[in-house]
Amino acid sequence: MGDNKFLGRREFLKRSGACLAGAALSPSLFQGCSKTAAKKPPNLLIVFPDQMRAHSQGFMNEDPVITPVLDRFAGESLVFTEAVSNYPVCSPFRAMLMTGKYPLANGVLANCNTNGTEHGYALREDERCWSDILRERGYSLGYIGKWHLDGPYKPYVKCYNNREDFAWNEWCPPERRHGFDHWYAYGTYDQHMKPMYWNTDAGRNDAHWVDQWGPEHEADQAIRYIRNEGGTFRDPEKPFALVVSMNPPHMPYDQLPDKYVEMYSDRALEELCNRPNIPPAGTRWGDYYRKHIRNYLAMTTGVDKQFGRILAALKDHGLEDNTIVLFTSDHGNCLGIHDQISKNNHYEESMRIPFLLRWPGTIQPRHDDLLFSSPDIYPTLMDLMGFSGSIPGDVQGRSHAGLIRNGSGERPASQPYIWVPYGKPAWGRRGVRTHRHTLMYSRMPDQPDGVMLHDNLEDRYQLMNLADQEENLVEKLRNDKLVPWLEATGDPWLRGL
Ligand code: CA
């Protein structure tokens, strides 16, 4: 699949030519396209908790959640209100984030675990990630928290999440870190009150455990990185990029400090269950929601608090103005809604993620309903930072930097949805989301094919499947929106449509 085929002509011209003038005239590797070109190249900070749905941001007025930091930060940021995780589960999102490619192109077609290793699902060492670009451009790069892009292999690392016969967690060796020179991370580890980490120099058997809630500890580490404590975290002469990837509000939901749960102690349970699509009490998934929602929201409040501490450290060290900050998540969480335990489905609570981008003086704070897709993150950030010329031709995401800077640029008409069963790339679910509709097809061996259509304006909680009564609309969305995505990504699923 060629880049030119995938990109619109305008996009291709913009990407290939727009920065050439500036780049050719300047000897500086950091020369950018914007008016900020004369400044020191910007730092980049990405904070992304795991499994935080867009609805759990207080300023969205959806979930009854307490997020004072995000509420304030939203007022300083460009908020993409309809950003999605196109394949809303851990490793596929993370691979889209790092490579700017959809799963069929980057090879991470499902989660990295024992099943995934069997099919080679892991971030390829020879991918050119955005972090590789920044490394070449002289950045210091730090990664803190959950990585989940390596396939576990035997003998498995001895830890929670890894059983004798099935494993999730794996060490990432230095040659697979894609430019990150400061490493304080793990693959998958769901013990929030006693998280484990491999630091930069630790070998596979040298992980350490910490008696602290994961997000608090990771914020501590991020603050030490920002302060460059002891001068050992990064080169103070270089710009930096730091990723802080927190596990909560991922399950298990009962592992968090009491202080965050206590903030919800005056809220009646039914007050916390304000979405009309939550199944009723007494049903399996209605009870599941009620069992966990208080802690889910409390975890989000805890993450919000830690995000605030990291932002304060940036400000205290005079780095606020020249640091691009992105807050997002790898996917959302149904928590029982639509009888779905959490993510990996086409519903809004699963697909829609927070997406807040702040760069004081360059990005005008506002809300925008752009149909932003996960692979767009890489080219958009690199373009914003002035490195559009370094984006590999096989990156499939689109840069929306022009739109972010000054409102110019094409606006996508849809976002694809993807789920692939292990080892069966021609099967599974595919779909497409527009400003108004979500269309989803499912196809599995030995099961009847399924199709669902939701009108997200008339039925914003997606309680009705309109596929049978709106056959013409289904056909139109399929042909005009879904098929072009399948063709552009070379998806073998298309052959069965
Ligand atoms: Ca996840």
Side-chain angles (χ1 to χ4, degrees):
M1 172 187 42
D3 183 50
N4 298 8
K5 181 180 164 192
F6 198 88
L7 297 170
R9 179 172 164 79
R10 274 178 63 192
E11 179 70 14
F12 178 73
L13 289 174
K14 186 171 69 185
R15 209 187 260 179
S16 57
C19 270
L20 288 180
L25 289 171
S26 169
S28 167
L29 288 172
F30 301 122
Q31 182 70 40
C33 298
S34 72
K35 290 175 184 169
T36 59
K39 284 194 202 170
K40 196 179 170 193
N43 306 307
L44 174 65
L45 170 66
I46 300 177
V47 178
F48 75 114
D50 192 312
Q51 206 156 299
M52 179 176 163
R53 63 188 181 205
H55 315 75
S56 288
Q57 304 173 94
F59 67 88
M60 296 284 273
N61 295 314
E62 296 247 2
D63 292 339
V65 67
I66 302 166
T67 56
V69 173
L70 279 169
D71 298 348
R72 188 174 62 248
F73 186 72
E76 303 165 353
S77 302
L78 168 56
V79 181
F80 283 139
T81 54
E82 297 204 30
V84 300
S85 179
N86 302 85
Y87 189 153
V89 75
C90 228
S91 305
F93 172 87
R94 290 160 192 269
M96 290 188 285
L97 167 69
M98 294 308 301
T99 67
K101 300 175 189 173
Y102 288 92
L104 278 157
N106 68 37
V108 183
L109 290 172
N111 264 337
C112 296
N113 56 27
T114 295
N115 284 344
T117 299
E118 190 182 325
H119 301 289
Y121 300 166
L123 180 61
R124 294 176 188 135
E125 195 176 329
D126 63 358
E127 286 285 356
R128 184 164 160 78
C129 299
W130 56 263
S131 49
D132 293 309
I133 293 177
L134 294 186
R135 183 67 174 166
E136 283 174 19
R137 297 285 182 150
Y139 276 64
S140 291
L141 287 121
Y143 198 100
I144 296 170
K146 182 172 181 175
W147 174 248
H148 202 182
L149 285 168
D150 287 295
Y153 57 90
K154 288 183 176 176
Y156 296 134
V157 173
K158 285 198 184 332
C159 65
Y160 183 87
N161 282 78
N162 287 358
R163 304 190 311 255
E164 199 170 312
D165 57 338
F166 197 92
W168 287 82
N169 197 16
E170 188 50 81
W171 172 66
C172 180
E175 66 271 18
R176 296 181 53 80
R177 292 176 190 168
H178 289 279
F180 290 101
D181 57 285
H182 174 81
W183 194 257
Y184 197 86
Y186 58 90
T188 300
Y189 197 72
D190 297 317
Q191 294 280 283
H192 305 323
M193 297 303 286
K194 191 156 188 159
M196 70 174 282
Y197 305 92
W198 280 278
N199 59 26
T200 306
D201 300 322
R204 191 171 185 242
N205 297 318
D206 301 327
H208 70 278
W209 278 257
V210 174
D211 286 313
Q212 193 179 6
W213 192 49
E216 291 181 349
H217 184 64
E218 289 151 24
D220 287 352
Q221 291 298 315
I223 292 165
R224 296 177 72 197
Y225 186 93
I226 289 165
R227 287 180 182 155
N228 198 17
E229 212 169 272
T232 60
F233 284 77
R234 57 187 174 85
D235 183 339
E237 300 303 316
K238 293 179 174 178
F240 68 84
L242 175 65
V243 180
V244 187
S245 169
M246 300 170 176
N247 201 356
H250 190 281
M251 59 186 76
Y253 303 114
D254 58 350
Q255 297 180 12
L256 76 165
D258 290 340
K259 60 188 174 189
Y260 300 120
V261 185
E262 284 162 8
M263 292 173 73
Y264 292 83
S265 60
D266 63 341
R267 310 283 184 97
L269 180 58
E270 287 306 313
E271 192 186 326
L272 302 179
C273 300
N274 65 340
R275 301 185 71 72
N277 51 5
I278 299 165
T283 61
R284 178 185 176 191
W285 294 111
D287 287 347
Y288 183 85
Y289 195 94
R290 285 164 179 78
K291 182 177 179 184
H292 297 301
I293 184 60
R294 190 181 300 272
N295 283 7
Y296 178 71
L297 298 177
M299 279 190 178
T300 303
T301 298
V303 164
D304 180 82
K305 172 92 174 165
Q306 302 315 313
F307 180 48
R309 292 180 57 225
I310 298 170
L311 291 178
L314 270 187
K315 187 171 187 178
D316 290 348
H317 288 76
L319 297 165
E320 188 174 71
D321 285 348
N322 202 32
T323 300
I324 298 174
V325 180
L326 168 62
F327 183 93
T328 187
S329 183
D330 59 347
H331 49 78
N333 190 2
C334 285
L335 202 68
I337 291 170
H338 303 297
D339 297 349
Q340 299 286 324
I341 188 167
S342 52
K343 63 273 187 180
N344 217 356
N345 61 67
H346 69 283
Y347 293 110
E348 290 286 273
E349 290 85 353
S350 165
M351 284 188 78
R352 280 190 32 225
I353 51 175
F355 200 98
L356 301 90
L357 195 59
R358 187 186 76 177
W359 191 5
T362 301
I363 299 177
Q364 185 68 31
R366 61 198 190 273
H367 283 209
D368 190 308
D369 65 357
L370 186 78
L371 296 178
F372 196 92
S373 284
S374 311
D376 299 345
I377 298 172
Y378 172 161
T380 297
L381 288 177
M382 290 304 99
D383 196 352
L384 276 175
M385 295 170 82
F387 305 139
S388 61
S390 297
I391 299 168
D394 61 351
V395 161
Q396 296 174 321
R398 299 168 59 144
S399 169
H400 300 292
L403 190 141
I404 289 170
R405 282 203 199 94
N406 55 31
S408 69
E410 284 182 58
R411 300 178 70 89
S414 64
Q415 299 153 312
Y417 161 74
I418 305 153
W419 172 69
V420 180
Y422 283 95
K424 294 186 172 62
W427 298 87
R429 297 187 292 266
R430 303 294 190 275
V432 71
R433 181 184 182 281
T434 68
H435 280 301
R436 177 154 190 181
H437 296 105
T438 302
L439 174 70
M440 188 281 290
Y441 286 92
S442 64
R443 187 192 311 138
M444 288 296 286
D446 307 322
Q447 286 180 26
D449 290 358
V451 56
M452 298 186 84
L453 174 69
H454 302 295
D455 183 332
N456 301 330
L457 288 186
E458 295 294 321
D459 173 29
R460 63 189 300 243
Y461 295 98
Q462 301 177 307
L463 294 166
M464 290 188 291
N465 177 10
L466 304 174
D468 286 343
Q469 66 198 71
E470 296 277 6
E471 286 182 8
N472 291 343
L473 182 55
V474 167
E475 191 178 331
K476 189 169 170 49
L477 284 166
R478 182 185 67 208
N479 294 339
D480 295 353
K481 300 290 190 296
L482 176 58
V483 168
W485 279 113
L486 298 170
E487 286 176 344
T489 53
D491 195 328
W493 192 95
L494 180 59
R495 293 197 295 269
L497 191 64

